[in-house]
Amino acid sequence: MHAKSKTNKALNLALFDFDGTLYPKDSFTGFIFFTLPKQHIVTRGLKILPWVLAYYLGLYPAHAMRPRLFQSMFKGVAADLPQRLAQTYAQKIIKELDQDLLQQLYLHQQRGDHVVLVSASVDLYLAPICEFLNIELICTQTEIKNGVLSGNYNSKDCSCEQKKLRVMQEYNLDHYQQIYAYGNSHEDLEMFSLTDQYYMVGKTQQLPDIQNHTSPTHIYQQKEKA
């Protein structure tokens, strides 16, 4: 369990998606190429090429593609290799975060809010990223047996409804004055349903003004009605 202990003292709860939101690229594919030899990637990638093509054609959903890709690439790999390289990868990723959203994250921290990364990507590299940023983590958890990655998940793919369920499992939402969420796709909509205010990359024009959110003249992005 990655989420830290919760209290009822925080003003707000801020939930950040990662890929496409806080990080503008695909961090999981980047992690594969950062940690595994090219020959390994090519050999195993050919075995799932039909699913990869179907995914890019929009015929195979991301929530099904991610575990298939993870199993194909990491099954049987000694866990110490990606775990060791994950520290370096995390430092590289942090330098490439979206600066506007990173500043928004820092503003939440300065206010004393709980800040949580909620991502379908895996814990291998998200854990060190969250440690560096001093934020909490809810994500897809990987299984290690006898020091080797089994290729399976220890949790369900943390997307869509799972994001909502995992947040509700980890946090008592009644403890917070305001709940914010930041995302970029349909996989974040269930998480958005928990919030008072949310920001959708590419659709919402302005980030929520969290510095004066109690002001009656405060203007912010309100949750759209279904």
Side-chain angles (χ1 to χ4, degrees), residues 5 9 33 72 99 121 128 138 153 159 163 183 185 199 214 222:
S5 61
K9 295 181 180 180
F33 283 93
S72 175
Q99 290 302 302
S121 293
I138 294 175
Y153 289 165
S159 62
K163 287 193 172 187
S185 75
Y199 175 83
T214 58
Q222 292 187 340

Side-chain angles (χ1 to χ4, degrees), residues 82-95:
Q83 287 175 331
R84 183 176 68 254
L85 293 176
Q87 298 292 330
T88 305
Y89 184 66
Q91 294 174 13
K92 172 182 178 294
I93 287 290
I94 287 170
K95 296 177 183 178

Side-chain angles (χ1 to χ4, degrees), residues 28 32 48 51 55 60-75 120-122 140-142 150-159 187:
F28 182 45
I32 291 173
I48 60 167
W51 288 275
Y55 166 72
Y60 196 61
H63 72 267
M65 188 65 223
R66 280 187 294 264
R68 184 178 290 276
L69 181 60
F70 179 80
Q71 183 175 67
S72 175
M73 291 296 161
F74 287 99
K75 182 178 181 180
S121 293
V122 296
T140 301
Q141 298 169 329
T142 54
S150 70
N152 299 321
Y153 289 165
N154 258 339
S155 67
K156 293 183 179 180
D157 182 82
C158 189
S159 62
E187 293 193 349

Side-chain angles (χ1 to χ4, degrees), residues 209 212-220:
D209 179 1
N212 301 291
H213 76 278
T214 58
S215 170
T217 59
H218 168 62
I219 300 175
Y220 54 83

Side-chain angles (χ1 to χ4, degrees), residues 26 36 44 87 98 155 190 194 204 219:
D26 176 0
L36 299 174
R44 296 202 177 188
Q87 298 292 330
D98 181 278
S155 67
E190 291 286 343
L194 300 174
T204 309
I219 300 175

Side-chain angles (χ1 to χ4, degrees), residues 7-13 111-114 175-178:
T7 72
N8 60 359
K9 295 181 180 180
L11 288 173
N12 309 311
L13 178 66
R111 289 179 56 85
D113 299 342
H114 271 136
H175 285 173
Y176 301 96
Q177 295 180 18
Q178 295 278 307

